[in-house]
Amino acid sequence: MGTHYQGSEREEKTLNPFIKLMRATDSLNNRLNRQLSDVGLTISQFGVLEALLHLGPLNQKALGEKLLKSGGNITLVIDNLEKSGWVERHQDPEDRRSMLIHLTDEGEEFISNYFPKHLARIKKEFDVLSDEELKQLGNICKKLGLQE
């Protein structure tokens, strides 16, 4: 569904794809987040586990920046993952003021097994797009994401 807003031609040309992008994002997130919910994870918790799996230990600030989360929010996410036994905090040997977040053995085992299944669901969602469309979508999203 497009906009019913009556504005300039450029406003309508801008608003229509914006609405479609937001609806597609919400729809896709709802389907994928349902799978995360089934294993007791939020999207932010999954993001932390995935980042630690692929990047190794990170401090909270780096995790927050990577996931576009505020300091308070990322602290809560890490607190909950720590309570679940999937991450632990260790003093950063290079900066005593900072804590590094590490996967526990249990957390690493979980995310190592879960990530390929999640990736398969993402791939299935995007199978409706050709390789060229995937490339175009990636370029468009990157361009929109770099706006200040």
Side-chain angles (χ1 to χ4, degrees):
M1 173 192 312
T3 181
H4 296 287
Y5 173 75
Q6 300 288 314
S8 71
E9 183 178 350
R10 180 65 183 182
E11 287 172 333
E12 290 179 26
K13 282 184 180 179
T14 302
L15 198 51
N16 278 322
F18 172 79
I19 291 168
K20 290 173 183 157
L21 176 62
M22 293 299 101
R23 289 177 61 85
T25 300
D26 287 347
S27 179
L28 182 61
N29 274 332
N30 286 339
R31 289 190 301 274
L32 292 172
N33 289 348
R34 199 173 312 124
Q35 303 295 322
L36 292 174
S37 177
D38 289 346
V39 294
L41 284 178
T42 66
I43 188 72
S44 295
Q45 290 171 330
F46 173 78
V48 167
L49 294 174
E50 187 271 334
L52 296 175
L53 176 67
H54 293 111
L55 300 175
L58 295 168
N59 64 39
Q60 287 186 201
K61 184 175 190 277
L63 282 166
E65 289 171 355
K66 177 129 185 77
L67 301 174
L68 304 175
K69 300 293 179 189
S70 69
N73 183 270
I74 201 69
T75 297
L76 180 63
V77 169
I78 292 168
D79 286 348
N80 288 330
L81 286 170
E82 194 171 36
K83 287 175 190 169
S84 297
W86 289 348
V87 302
E88 48 192 22
R89 293 173 167 98
H90 295 276
Q91 190 80 46
D92 184 341
E94 296 180 20
D95 181 356
R96 292 177 36 174
R97 299 167 296 161
S98 180
M99 300 295 277
L100 290 177
I101 312 306
H102 292 254
L103 288 171
T104 62
D105 290 342
E106 182 182 343
E108 185 168 355
E109 182 180 346
F110 169 78
I111 194 62
S112 293
N113 290 324
Y114 186 78
F115 182 77
K117 297 170 192 167
H118 188 70
L119 178 58
R121 286 189 284 275
I122 293 170
K123 185 184 170 301
K124 184 177 178 190
E125 293 284 347
F126 280 80
D127 277 347
V128 298
L129 301 176
S130 68
D131 288 348
E132 182 59 30
E133 288 170 325
L134 285 170
K135 184 177 177 181
Q136 289 173 353
L137 179 61
N139 289 336
I140 290 167
C141 290
K142 183 176 180 180
K143 192 173 187 177
L144 286 172
L146 292 175
Q147 296 293 319
E148 286 292 322

